[in-house]
Amino acid sequence: MKPSSQRAIKAQQTRQLLLDTALEMFGNKGFDNVTIDEIVEKCNVSKGAFYTHFNSKYDVFTVKFKDIDNFYESFPEKINPAYTVKQKILLAYQAQMTYLRDELGVDFVRTLYMSALARTMDEKHYLVDPERRIYKLIESYLDEGLEKGDFVSTWEKDQLLHNLTRCMRSAVFDWIIFQNKLDVVEEITVLVTMIFDGIGKRED
């Protein structure tokens, strides 16, 4: 094996070790109670190694959170093409919220949202990045719905897309606040259904 390949493999192993260790420590001690010094000490690597792979502790969460977007790469193939556009959008959001609830958990997501609130005005947080796969997927379904006349034409596409994606963030934010008092999957179902009731195709 070439030295360059060995270095690449070693770097990937170090990155994964830092990621797994940091997430484990956050889960055990709480995000605010873990320092980067503690993470690198437990991994037996330098602080410089941490910053080679991550910009901050919050960046660890962003990397983990991106796992859900990988799911959307194959999501359209799992959806029955006979489904309506509204059904496709709702299923996409329900799958997302199920992942957040069952795989990541409310504590993890709370910290992720805290990182978004802590950013400066000049920083673009991953949560609101329009290039995220989930946003692109919803946009593609919206385009399909507008082409078929499923949505009221007096609404601009950008307005529809903005409010559909806002439903996603709103549902998660309420879930963080109320936790066990509401189910985030049920919450997104209600919000999106209400939006659809408002922008559905008008009957003459």
Side-chain angles (χ1 to χ4, degrees):
M1 185 180 295
K2 295 181 180 179
S4 58
S5 299
Q6 291 177 329
R7 285 195 296 271
I9 292 174
K10 178 64 175 177
Q12 182 58 37
Q13 290 174 338
T14 300
R15 181 180 181 278
Q16 192 62 47
L17 175 62
L18 286 165
L19 177 63
D20 293 342
T21 301
L23 291 173
E24 180 183 5
M25 294 177 72
F26 295 158
N28 293 335
K29 299 177 60 177
F31 179 81
D32 292 332
N33 298 319
V34 177
T35 66
I36 292 176
D37 286 335
E38 290 174 322
I39 295 170
V40 298
E41 180 180 357
K42 188 167 184 178
C43 293
N44 196 29
V45 300
S46 68
K47 201 168 185 177
F50 180 93
Y51 285 112
T52 295
H53 301 288
F54 306 103
N55 294 322
S56 65
K57 287 197 303 178
Y58 285 117
D59 201 29
V60 174
F61 277 92
T62 301
V63 170
K64 177 63 177 177
F65 191 72
K66 288 180 180 179
D67 286 350
I68 189 174
D69 276 1
N70 295 332
F71 165 79
Y72 289 106
E73 293 296 331
S74 60
F75 183 82
E77 301 170 5
K78 303 174 184 177
I79 297 297
N80 188 328
Y83 285 169
T84 67
V85 169
K86 294 178 183 179
Q87 287 175 319
K88 293 175 181 177
I89 292 174
L90 186 55
L91 285 170
Y93 277 151
Q94 288 173 333
Q96 180 193 40
M97 296 304 164
T98 298
Y99 177 89
L100 295 182
R101 182 193 64 193
D102 299 345
E103 300 297 328
L104 297 185
V106 68
D107 291 336
F108 179 98
V109 177
R110 181 193 297 110
T111 302
L112 183 72
Y113 268 60
M114 285 172 59
S115 73
L117 293 172
R119 70 187 176 96
T120 67
M121 292 297 294
D122 296 329
E123 294 175 325
K124 183 173 68 173
H125 194 276
Y126 182 69
L127 279 178
V128 293
D129 185 351
E131 297 304 312
R132 281 186 61 197
R133 185 69 184 95
I134 178 61
Y135 291 149
K136 291 298 184 183
L137 180 64
I138 298 303
E139 183 177 15
S140 69
Y141 287 149
L142 183 57
D143 285 338
E144 180 183 346
L146 290 171
E147 184 178 347
K148 292 179 177 178
D150 291 340
F151 302 126
V152 177
S153 60
T154 53
W155 289 94
E156 296 290 336
K157 172 190 166 180
D158 288 347
Q159 291 175 306
L160 295 175
L161 182 61
H162 176 71
N163 283 288
L164 277 173
T165 54
R166 176 180 281 174
C167 282
M168 172 181 63
R169 295 188 296 272
S170 298
V172 173
F173 189 73
D174 273 4
W175 177 48
I176 292 170
I177 293 174
F178 295 106
Q179 298 190 37
N180 295 330
K181 293 182 180 180
L182 63 80
D183 183 279
V184 71
V185 180
E186 294 177 2
E187 190 75 4
I188 194 64
T189 301
V190 170
L191 283 173
V192 173
T193 300
M194 290 178 70
I195 287 286
F196 286 157
D197 285 347
I199 62 175
K201 184 177 179 181
R202 288 176 178 161
E203 300 294 338
D204 295 328

